[in-house]
Amino acid sequence: MTKRPEEIALMAESGKLLASVFGRLDQLNLIGMSTMEVNDMVDSFIVNELNARPASKGQYGYAYALNSSRNSVVCHGVPSPGDILQSGDIVNFDITLEKNGFIADSSKTYLVGDVPPLAKRLVQVTYEAMWMGINTVRPGARLGDVGHAIQRHARRNGYSVVREYCGHGIGREMHEPPQVLHWGKPKTGLVLREGMVFTIEPMLNQGSRAVHTEDDGWTVVTTDGKLSAQFEHTVAVTRNGVQVLTLRPGERSLN
C-alpha cells in the first residue's frame, strides 16, 4: 500500500493535470449546459490538451470521462444531453485522469447560478469535512481518525454521512487498498505510513444517509430526495504530514 518517492512524483504530475481540468471547469458558466456537454469538454481537454487518459472511461464498463451528480444524486450520476444545468442547482463532477501509468481522482461540487442558502451551506460544510479528514493524515495516525473527523463535522452541522461509498487507495489502479471510511472512531483502523496514497471523498446528505441505486445501475440518489454534496482529493502520506496531490489552482488547504 505504499509508493516509492518516484512513484508519488508521477502521481503528483497526474494530480496537477487533473487539477487543471477543474481549473478549466471553474471558468465555465454552467447555466444551460447539459452534463454531456461538460463531459465532452472534459474528455477533449484531457486527451487533446493534456495528452492524458480519462481513467473512468471504460472502467467497469462505464462510457464517460466523468460522473455528474446533480442535487439529490449522491454519486455516479451519468452525463446526459437532456440533463440541463439550471440556476439553483448544485452538481458534483467526479473526474479521474491517468498519465504515465498513474491515476489521480478528484471531485468538486459546483454552485450553479443563484443557489439557495441551505444548499450553499451543505456544499461548504462538505468541503470543510473533507479538509477535516485530510488534516488528520500523518504517519502514525489511523484511518479511524480520518473518518471520525469527517463524521463529527457533519453531525455538528446537522448532516448525515453516506456509508455505502468510501475513499480508496489509488495508484496504477483506480481502486487499491485501503478503504477509507468517512466515519469511525479515533485511534482505530489501519495505521498510516509514509508513502500511502488514497482518496478522501465524503458525501454528506441534508436528510437521511439512506441511498438507493436507480435502474441504470449507476446513479445513486438520496432515498428522501434531499440534497447531497461531495468533494474529493487524492492525498499522499508524507514524512511529516500530508501532500494533496490534486490541489486545484488557487485552492488553499483549510487548517
Side-chain angles (χ1 to χ4, degrees):
M1 285 187 284
T2 59
K3 307 290 190 296
R4 299 187 304 274
E6 58 269 26
E7 292 176 314
I8 292 178
L10 289 172
M11 292 198 70
E13 182 179 348
S14 297
K16 184 176 181 180
L17 293 177
L18 181 53
S20 75
V21 178
F22 287 96
R24 177 62 64 91
L25 286 177
D26 291 347
Q27 299 171 11
L28 295 180
N29 179 1
L30 294 170
I31 298 173
M33 291 188 70
S34 73
T35 52
M36 186 63 79
E37 285 179 303
V38 178
N39 173 82
D40 292 347
M41 187 219 75
V42 166
D43 194 336
S44 175
F45 183 64
I46 292 174
V47 173
N48 298 320
E49 297 193 42
L50 302 181
N51 296 311
R53 181 178 70 87
S56 297
K57 198 172 181 179
Q59 179 86 1
Y60 309 124
Y62 190 71
Y64 305 102
L66 56 74
N67 292 118
S68 54
S69 301
R70 179 183 176 202
N71 296 331
S72 61
V73 179
V74 176
C75 62
H76 302 163
V78 180
S80 166
D83 188 19
I84 308 299
L85 297 169
Q86 301 175 12
S87 182
D89 285 341
I90 64 173
V91 60
N92 177 273
F93 294 121
D94 189 344
I95 307 169
T96 58
L97 179 151
E98 181 267 322
K99 181 78 171 181
N100 297 321
F102 287 94
I103 299 172
D105 189 359
S106 186
S107 83
K108 176 178 179 177
T109 298
Y110 284 85
L111 305 174
V112 183
D114 187 14
V115 174
L118 289 179
K120 284 184 179 179
R121 181 173 178 272
L122 171 67
V123 172
Q124 178 62 30
V125 171
T126 305
Y127 183 67
E128 293 167 357
M130 175 191 67
W131 278 105
M132 294 286 181
I134 291 172
N135 289 336
T136 66
V137 174
R138 64 186 184 280
R142 306 183 76 151
L143 282 179
D145 301 331
V146 177
H148 175 74
I150 292 168
Q151 181 183 42
R152 180 177 58 187
H153 191 66
R155 283 182 171 176
R156 283 177 173 174
N157 286 278
Y159 301 124
S160 59
V161 178
V162 174
R163 295 196 175 195
E164 284 77 1
Y165 304 93
C166 61
H168 51 86
I170 189 168
R172 291 189 180 275
E173 301 294 332
M174 177 90 73
H175 296 111
E176 300 178 354
Q179 288 191 328
V180 182
L181 305 183
H182 301 122
W183 73 97
K185 296 181 179 179
K187 300 180 181 178
T188 65
L190 185 72
V191 176
L192 302 182
R193 305 189 303 273
E194 181 182 357
M196 287 182 172
V197 183
F198 49 82
T199 70
I200 295 176
E201 48 181 297
M203 304 163 204
L204 271 56
N205 292 350
Q206 273 185 332
S208 165
R209 68 175 179 84
V211 302
H212 71 269
T213 304
E214 295 192 329
D215 292 342
D216 63 7
W218 290 105
T219 306
V220 178
V221 299
T222 58
T223 299
D224 59 15
K226 293 186 177 181
L227 297 178
S228 184
Q230 181 188 18
F231 284 88
E232 175 183 13
H233 272 313
T234 298
V235 305
V237 184
T238 65
R239 180 175 301 175
N240 299 314
V242 62
Q243 178 185 3
V244 180
L245 302 180
T246 48
L247 198 69
R248 294 185 275 271
E251 184 181 21
R252 294 184 178 181
S253 63
L254 297 183
N255 294 316

